[in-house]
Amino acid sequence: MNIFIALIPALGWGIFSLIAGKIKNSHPANELMGLGTGALIIGIITAIIHPTSSNITIFSLSLISGMFCALGQSGQFISMRNIGISKTMPLSTGFQLIGNTLIGAIIFGEWTSSSQYLIGTLALILIIVGVSLTALSKDKSAKLKMRDIILLLFTSIGYWIYSSFPKAITANAQTLFLPQMIGIFIGSIIFLLVSCQTKVLKEKATWLNIFSGFSFGIAAFAYIFSAQLNGVITAFIYSQLCVIISTLGGIFFIGENKTKSELIATFVGLILIIIGAAIQSTTPK
């Protein structure tokens, strides 16, 4: 049962992008608003089932971290439309792993010995090589442009803050969940206002994307329990399997085209990303 719980985040975070990719006439604004709404609904349901207490400071900071998550998610959805799911998700996952690792090492002082720096650096190298392999393309028109990389890198800052926030405060993870989901919803509204796309609130694609929000929210909540049941390291490693689901789903379910050599490079890249994540997670403390 513990392993089943550990696989829920991988499944939820792996398929939410595929759900969005399959919805007709769906654009980043539809997808972000739908995800924010679905995640909020899951947050409310879990708060009813598992009520927790909080104070205004923790609630407010959790809400802000959720808004940063919406920033990260906006970059993913925009990138998915520009370069496809099978390229976006490995890149995004790689940037998240690299950023979270460096934040943990530099800001939170998680690396204190030479062995930690050696193993951690090896993990980062494997992740960088893996990400590079998944981005390979023989078709010049399909090759990654610098603006695509910059967009994902910049918006990944939102994910770094969202992921690192629980380390910065002392609070039960379940206490943070509802305000973070509220923050994602508010961040989605802000995105619509800033981009002048409030019209999507009336579009069918937005409300169909609520199902991707359900997938995201369930995965996020299941991760809390997985970390409690299996330990943070095991929970994290299993959750990273989401990149395999989303990338291969983009190729075989959504129908994104890749040549044989590109497929091989993608498979090898995914393996390196997972190995790098596993090494990074098991770096001796």
Side-chain angles (χ1 to χ4, degrees):
M1 178 60 74
N2 287 3
I3 298 303
F4 173 73
I5 296 296
L7 288 173
I8 293 177
L11 289 170
W13 284 330
I15 67 174
F16 86 85
S17 58
L18 304 179
I19 294 172
K22 267 296 186 181
I23 296 173
K24 292 182 179 180
N25 301 317
S26 182
H27 302 285
N30 302 109
E31 292 154 1
L32 185 61
M33 192 65 241
L35 182 139
T37 305
L40 175 61
I41 292 171
I42 295 298
I44 293 172
I45 292 172
T46 56
I48 294 172
I49 298 174
H50 292 279
T52 59
S53 59
S54 180
N55 59 54
I56 188 63
T57 300
I58 291 178
F59 187 94
S60 300
L61 291 175
S62 300
L63 187 147
I64 292 172
S65 76
M67 293 170 66
F68 274 104
C69 179
L71 169 65
Q73 198 55 60
S74 68
Q76 268 194 4
F77 283 137
I78 293 171
S79 183
M80 281 163 49
R81 295 300 165 185
N82 290 341
I83 62 175
I85 295 172
S86 60
K87 285 184 179 178
T88 295
M89 299 313 289
L91 270 173
S92 180
T93 299
F95 286 150
Q96 290 176 58
L97 289 169
I98 292 168
N100 289 337
T101 299
L102 293 177
I103 289 172
I106 297 171
I107 297 179
F108 294 107
E110 294 180 355
W111 292 358
T112 56
S113 66
S114 56
S115 63
Q116 289 174 323
Y117 276 96
L118 178 63
I119 296 174
T121 301
L122 171 62
L124 289 179
I125 291 173
L126 288 174
I127 293 169
I128 292 171
V129 173
V131 167
S132 300
L133 286 172
T134 63
L136 288 179
S137 176
K138 287 187 175 182
D139 184 353
K140 290 184 179 180
S141 63
K143 285 186 176 179
L144 279 176
K145 298 178 177 62
M146 183 56 66
R147 67 185 182 191
D148 299 318
I149 296 174
I150 292 174
L151 170 68
L152 267 180
L153 183 58
F154 172 74
T155 53
S156 289
I157 294 173
Y159 279 135
W160 298 346
I161 295 173
Y162 171 73
S163 301
S164 302
F165 174 71
K167 299 179 183 178
I169 64 171
T170 303
N172 186 302
Q174 293 182 47
T175 302
L176 311 179
F177 186 71
L178 175 59
Q180 284 185 326
M181 297 304 104
I182 295 174
I184 293 174
F185 178 77
I186 294 175
S188 303
I189 293 292
I190 292 174
F191 178 85
L192 296 190
L193 293 174
V194 172
S195 60
C196 300
Q197 297 185 77
T198 52
K199 63 180 182 180
V200 303
L201 293 172
K202 301 178 181 179
E203 295 174 358
K204 180 180 179 181
T206 299
W207 303 109
L208 288 176
N209 269 292
I210 287 178
F211 291 102
S212 72
F214 289 162
S215 179
F216 179 92
I218 290 170
F221 193 63
Y223 182 79
I224 295 172
F225 287 96
S226 178
Q228 293 172 345
L229 293 171
N230 301 300
V232 174
I233 292 175
T234 301
F236 179 80
I237 293 173
Y238 272 99
S239 73
Q240 296 312 298
L241 295 176
C242 68
V243 70
I244 296 178
I245 297 171
S246 58
T247 302
L248 298 185
I251 297 170
F252 299 111
F253 181 65
I254 302 298
E256 296 174 357
N257 295 322
K258 281 185 179 288
T259 65
K260 183 177 179 181
S261 60
E262 290 170 353
L263 274 175
I264 293 173
T266 297
F267 287 139
V268 174
L270 289 173
I271 292 171
L272 291 179
I273 291 172
I274 296 300
I275 292 174
I279 292 175
Q280 186 269 335
S281 296
T282 54
T283 301
K285 299 294 187 284

